[in-house]
Amino acid sequence: MAERHFTCTACGKCCYGWLPLTLDEALVHAGRFPLVLVWTPLRQGARAFSLTARLGTTVRLGKRKEFAVGVVPTSYIPPALACPALTTDGLCAIQDVKPTRCRTMPFSAYREEADQRDLLVPRPGWDCDVSAAAPVAYRDKEIVSRQDFDRERKALLDQAPILRRYADWLLAASPPLMENLLKMAAKPAGGHVIVNFATLLPHLPKVDMGDFTAKQAPLMVEFAARTAGIAALTDYHRRYRECAAELGAR
Ligand code: SF4
Ligand code: SF4
């Protein structure tokens, strides 16, 4: 019997960089997280190909080549910067309403359940407890305490039709997007294409655009200021400015 132990010690060290969100969470937290859509093409044969196709969309190139494309609403923060909800003492300030992705850690509903094992190996510097004293979290490729994983997976499947309709529309409307995706897919290590979240808004039911803009635009301006003049963060800075302009902010 293959067992892996894991428990979170709430060290806060994984609360940096990109944070995938559900659509509902992105809208609820629009005043907290700078939002983009992360598009990720996967080649046929990749481990998460069929799940990614179910949660996102597929792109066909020629008669034989097909790519699965993940389209993920994301809090777009450089890896060295903390989540805006992380307090100075390393705790989550929004514990009661923190995103599904954070609750499911270290597991990920973007992967098949049988393919979670390496997520139970903490990255360097993380203080997750994986000792024999920690509870068994994963046994024989099955998640032991699975409520959060199941909730995240259900949320992703429920929202998939909205994302697929939007993705198919934008792919048809934007040849450069398709070109960029194919470039990323051709890289040996893969890659991502970042798309402004505002492109999705007309495709979402019941969005109060004024409310969304009032929350999101100042955040983009703030993050543009935080990343200004830092050579390694040029792409982030450019994106924040572009999003701010698209939302009518300067
Ligand atoms: S929302 Fe809370 S738990 Fe999630 S990354 Fe931010 S600080 Fe960490
Ligand atoms: S790094 Fe590990 S222990 Fe620290 S907050 Fe994240 S999951 Fe918990």
Side-chain angles (χ1 to χ4, degrees), residues 14-16 19 33 83-86 91-94 98-99 102:
C14 63
C15 300
Y16 285 74
L19 172 60
F33 300 130
C83 169
L86 188 67
L91 298 175
C92 178
I94 55 168
K98 70 181 180 183
C102 309

Side-chain angles (χ1 to χ4, degrees), residues 37-155:
L37 293 152
V38 175
W39 291 54
T40 307
L42 284 186
R43 281 176 281 190
Q44 275 172 324
R47 275 188 298 187
F49 183 91
S50 72
L51 179 60
T52 301
R54 281 173 73 204
L55 301 180
T57 192
T58 51
V59 167
R60 194 167 281 284
L61 178 68
K63 282 188 181 160
R64 285 184 303 176
K65 267 195 182 168
E66 187 178 50
F67 297 93
V69 183
V71 181
V72 179
T74 300
S75 170
Y76 185 61
I77 293 178
L81 293 191
C83 169
L86 188 67
T87 64
T88 48
D89 47 7
L91 298 175
C92 178
I94 55 168
Q95 184 64 26
D96 291 346
V97 290
K98 70 181 180 183
T100 324
R101 183 80 285 284
C102 309
R103 293 184 187 283
T104 310
M105 278 291 283
F107 300 113
S108 172
Y110 289 96
R111 286 193 184 198
E112 299 290 359
E113 181 168 354
D115 183 27
Q116 304 277 331
R117 194 169 186 274
D118 57 318
L119 299 177
L120 290 144
V121 179
R123 293 190 205 166
W126 289 14
D127 289 340
C128 325
D129 182 357
V130 292
S131 71
V136 173
Y138 197 52
R139 180 184 292 123
D140 295 337
K141 298 190 173 183
E142 288 186 4
I143 295 167
V144 173
S145 179
R146 49 178 316 110
Q147 198 179 16
D148 292 330
F149 178 85
D150 288 343
R151 189 181 296 124
E152 185 180 19
R153 175 64 65 77
K154 180 176 185 317

Side-chain angles (χ1 to χ4, degrees), residues 160-215:
I162 296 174
L163 286 172
R164 189 170 307 120
R165 276 195 299 276
Y166 152 75
D168 293 346
W169 166 80
L170 193 58
L171 281 165
S174 173
L177 173 60
M178 178 73 89
E179 281 167 29
N180 287 336
L181 285 173
L182 295 177
K183 265 186 221 159
M184 291 301 154
K187 290 186 174 186
H192 310 284
V193 177
I194 308 299
V195 175
N196 294 3
F197 192 84
T199 59
L200 172 64
L201 292 173
H203 302 263
L204 298 180
K206 298 184 201 151
V207 178
D208 181 333
M209 293 292 288
D211 179 63
F212 179 88
T213 301
K215 288 175 174 167

Side-chain angles (χ1 to χ4, degrees), residues 34 78 81 217-231 233-234 236-242 244 250:
L81 293 191
L219 262 185
M220 289 297 178
V221 172
E222 178 196 328
F223 274 87
R226 287 178 67 180
T227 50
I230 304 174
L233 302 183
T234 303
Y236 283 90
H237 178 68
R238 189 184 306 119
R239 180 66 58 177
Y240 296 137
R241 289 191 55 176
E242 190 182 302
R250 280 183 297 156

